[in-house]
Structure formats: C-alpha cells, structure tokens
Amino acid sequence: MNEAKKKLFQPYTLGDLSLPNRLLMAPLTRSRAKQPGDIPWELNATYYAQRASAGLIFAEATQVSPQGKGYAFTPGIHSEEQVAGWRKVTDAVHAAGGRIYLQLWHVGRISHPELQPGGEKPVAPSAIKPAGAQTYLDPQQGLVEVPEPRALRTEEIPGIVDQFRCGAQNAERAGFDGVEIHAANGYLLDQFIRSKSNQRTDHYGGSIENRLRFPLQVVAAVSEVWGPQRTGIRVSPTGTFNDMHDDDPVATYAAFAQKLNDTGIAFIEVVEDSFQGNAADGRPEEVIKAIRNHFNGSYIANGNYTAAEAAQRIADQRCDLVSFGRLFISNPDLPLRFLRDAKLNEYDEDTFYGGNEHGYTDYPRLALLGISESSPAF
Ligand code: PHB
C-alpha cells in the first residue's frame, strides 16, 4: 500500500469517539421507512449493519418534526415508534462492530402542503420559491415542484430550535453514538445561512452574523444534549441544489467556522461539490481553506472522491476524514474493496429512492480467497 493510501486506514479520534479508519459513510436519503408513520424497521437495520465497516456511519437525513418532512417515506425521530425503530438500527450496527450518528433534518421550504401537518404551507426564512426544486409526494403523483413557502415569524424560531433539541434527545434514547446537524443542500438551516434564500429584515437575516444566528442556536441546543464532542454539522457552501447561492461564501463560511469553533463541536462535514456529483468545475478551495483555517475540530470532506484522491487529500492535510455516499450504496464492504484495490459494484440510480430490498440490501460483498469477512475491521 502506498503511503497516502495508508492514511485512509489509520485510526482516528473524532471528538471523543475512536474510529478504526477515516472512511465514513455519508448520509443518504433512501426513502424506505415503514408506513404509516415514517418508521425505521428491520430492512433499514440490515442495510446499515451491512455497512458497519465504515469508520462511522451517518444515518440518512431524518426529520425532527412533522413540519420538518419534505419527502414521502423518509424517516423521522419525533415519535415513540420511530425511536423504537431506530433502536433496531443502532443495535444491529453495534452488534456488527460499527458506529452510527443520526443526521437531524428540517427541510424548510423543500416540502409541500400535502406533506405538512394540517396541509399548511412549508416554512422558510423568506417567502421565496426555490426555482426548479422538487419534492416527492407519493407513488401516484411522484416528483412535484415545491410551492412558495411561508416566511417564519420571528417568535416561531425558538420552537424550531426546540424541535432539534427534541430530535437530539430522541436520538440519544434510540442508541446513536452522536448526531450531525443538517445545514446543507438547501434545507432549513442552509436557507437561513445563504443570502439568496434569506431576505429577512429581523435579527435572523441581513448580515452574516444575523444569518448564522438560528443555525448557531440549533448547534447550542443540540450540543447541550449530546455534548460538543458528539455533535457535528454538515454544510454545502457552494452547492447549487435546491436553488441555493451565497453572495460571498468565503466570508460566510469563515465566520460560521469561527463561531462553530467557539462552540467546541467535533466536526464540520463539507459537501465540496455541487451535490449532484459534479466536481469537474473544481472544488471551492478558497472556502475549504477558510473553514479549515477557522475551525480546529475535524474536517470531513465529501463529494465524489475516489479512494486515491481521498487518501491524497488527507495526506495533504486538507481534510482529516472523507465520507463516501454513492459508493457506499453499491458497496457494503467499501473499506475492504479500497484496501484490496478491488473492483467496485456500480450503483443503480433507479433504486436510490424508495422501493424494497432491491438496490438496497442486495448489493454483493466481495468474496476474495483468503480474506476473512468476519475479521473485526471488516
Ligand atoms: C433528497 O432526498 O433528495 C436529499 C435529502 C437530503 C439531502 C440531499 C438530498 O441532503
């Protein structure tokens, strides 16, 4: 193994949690929660346990409240049944030797009255319809455009902070090892952070400091529950998915990284490509550097990395760990495959969202002579 590649397989301490390698599973929406009730179940437990050789699993984005839901079949963490369902998942992952964090999610404007309690309009920092953004309603209607949202009233915001606090408490009861706050990809926290979606005139909009206020209140509430060492956040400073844009991402994310550093949270996971997998335009190196320079915790890079690029990036100290999404969908034993330079299974995009075990728990594992799949690391 070359020197750079060895880095991927070096143990790492994330916050106060020991990881056997630096190759993490990114959070991935798979839309296979049991219905009715958006409840995690045995099928999800099998899927995550199959991937327990990841240094750490980030479970899929999970709504902290009924209002935080934006797509049919995504799981929640606000009912007792959901907590019990997630407990099946965390028990299965732990029994397989893995570690798993929950991603706490509120979609904000990326929703639809048909998915909202009381058929209400989805909520957002400002009443701005994201051009071209879609959500998934049900198998009959499929993907539909999201409508114009309703701007949150100032006095409603503490209640949404409470939704995240409650989600964090429920994640603890469900047996997770920690949590990641979803502040990326055009969902509620990202809508507050970035200038195009936040046109508020109260103290939650306008200046960078104001745009960061609500996300930082969420971070404070969640780390009060978990302790900062078991709390992290995901951001996508230059992602364009869901019609997102910021006028000055270097300034915005330098300030955010500095404030996050002051909270003592363990990590920032950064979506470094456009989210839809295209890193061809290059990565936003200036923003990456700004975050790295202002944040002393761990930096997790994400975005269409190959094993070789990921290892080199760690060797160059541009990140500490790398999370892989789509490759983990089709390769449950991804670390072993990287280690052996083995062929990777191709993923089938048609089975990413919704459906059953097909394209979910039926991707084959490597069967190489002389490799013990039951060894502790794999
Ligand atoms: C999606 O369901 O398309 C989705 C969910 C969470 C993300 C990104 C995309 O962060």
Side-chain angles (χ1 to χ4, degrees):
M1 206 185 332
N2 72 33
E3 280 310 304
K5 196 168 156 202
K6 276 189 193 154
K7 297 273 184 195
L8 274 180
F9 296 95
Q10 273 175 358
Y12 187 83
T13 306
L14 183 67
D16 61 0
L17 184 70
S18 300
L19 313 182
N21 62 54
R22 297 173 183 223
L23 211 160
L24 316 186
M25 179 175 167
L28 295 157
T29 290
R30 305 301 311 276
S31 309
R32 283 168 168 86
K34 195 170 71 179
Q35 302 304 318
D38 301 333
I39 300 165
W41 59 302
E42 285 74 7
L43 179 66
N44 311 129
T46 301
Y47 162 77
Y48 283 115
Q50 286 175 343
R51 286 154 181 79
S53 63
L56 173 64
I57 294 170
F58 289 114
E60 66 215 80
T62 296
Q63 52 256 10
V64 291
S65 65
Q67 184 197 58
K69 173 176 173 176
Y71 305 85
F73 310 133
T74 52
I77 187 75
H78 51 83
S79 76
E80 285 310 308
E81 292 80 5
Q82 291 162 349
V83 172
W86 277 120
R87 173 58 83 170
K88 291 180 190 164
V89 173
T90 61
D91 281 350
V93 169
H94 291 148
R99 296 139 299 279
I100 183 165
Y101 278 32
L102 186 64
Q103 197 194 40
L104 300 173
W105 193 30
H106 190 305
V107 296
R109 67 184 182 176
I110 308 300
S111 188
H112 193 281
E114 285 197 30
L115 297 167
Q116 289 290 304
E120 298 215 19
K121 278 187 175 184
V123 298
S126 303
I128 301 171
K129 174 177 155 34
Q134 294 183 313
T135 185
Y136 183 82
L137 288 188
D138 59 39
Q140 286 73 43
Q141 301 177 83
L143 284 168
V144 298
E145 278 208 7
V146 307
E148 184 181 295
R150 163 177 88 73
L152 282 162
R153 296 187 304 278
T154 307
E155 64 274 17
E156 286 180 283
I157 291 180
I160 302 197
V161 174
D162 285 341
Q163 293 175 14
F164 276 89
R165 180 182 294 108
C166 192
Q169 287 163 342
N170 285 341
E172 213 168 27
R173 292 197 294 126
F176 283 94
D177 298 298
V179 285
E180 177 181 72
I181 297 162
H182 195 339
N185 299 335
Y187 300 107
L188 186 65
L189 272 60
D190 197 20
Q191 291 159 29
F192 271 84
I193 296 168
R194 290 203 267 170
S195 56
K196 186 175 180 184
S197 45
N198 184 343
Q199 305 282 317
R200 296 180 73 89
T201 53
D202 64 0
H203 64 300
Y204 289 103
S207 65
I208 292 176
E209 192 183 355
N210 280 356
R211 283 187 272 127
L212 298 178
R213 189 179 310 280
F214 163 62
L216 287 165
Q217 288 173 343
V218 170
V219 171
V222 170
S223 37
E224 234 172 69
V225 175
W226 274 96
Q229 295 284 299
R230 295 294 175 109
T231 303
I233 194 163
R234 183 176 231 236
V235 298
S236 56
T238 55
T240 54
F241 181 58
N242 285 328
D243 195 28
M244 294 302 290
H245 173 79
D246 189 71
D247 286 339
D248 190 352
V250 172
T252 300
Y253 286 87
F256 199 26
Q258 182 63 55
K259 298 263 192 199
L260 291 170
N261 193 61
D262 297 343
T263 70
I265 63 165
F267 65 88
I268 305 180
E269 185 191 15
V270 183
V271 181
E272 294 178 347
D273 65 1
S274 65
F275 167 77
Q276 309 254 260
N278 188 357
D281 312 335
R283 301 183 185 280
E285 299 294 349
E286 290 305 307
V287 184
I288 292 169
K289 258 191 243 150
I291 295 175
R292 196 84 172 128
N293 288 342
H294 289 87
F295 185 72
N296 297 322
S298 302
Y299 182 110
I300 305 172
N302 172 262
N304 218 25
Y305 277 103
T306 63
E309 286 166 351
Q312 192 57 51
R313 211 78 192 167
I314 295 173
D316 294 343
Q317 300 189 0
R318 282 146 110 178
C319 61
D320 302 301
L321 310 118
V322 180
S323 62
F324 296 85
R326 281 162 294 183
L327 294 182
F328 251 118
I329 288 182
S330 53
N331 297 278
D333 50 357
L334 189 64
L336 180 62
R337 287 174 191 253
F338 278 171
L339 187 67
R340 300 289 163 191
D341 284 323
K343 192 170 174 330
L344 300 178
N345 297 324
E346 294 199 2
Y347 46 78
D348 169 16
E349 297 199 21
D350 291 345
T351 52
F352 277 4
Y353 301 107
N356 50 25
E357 65 281 355
H358 178 51
Y360 191 57
T361 52
D362 63 356
Y363 283 106
R365 305 180 78 83
L366 205 56
L368 278 184
L369 275 180
I371 293 183
S372 162
E373 292 197 27
S374 59
S375 79
F378 301 106

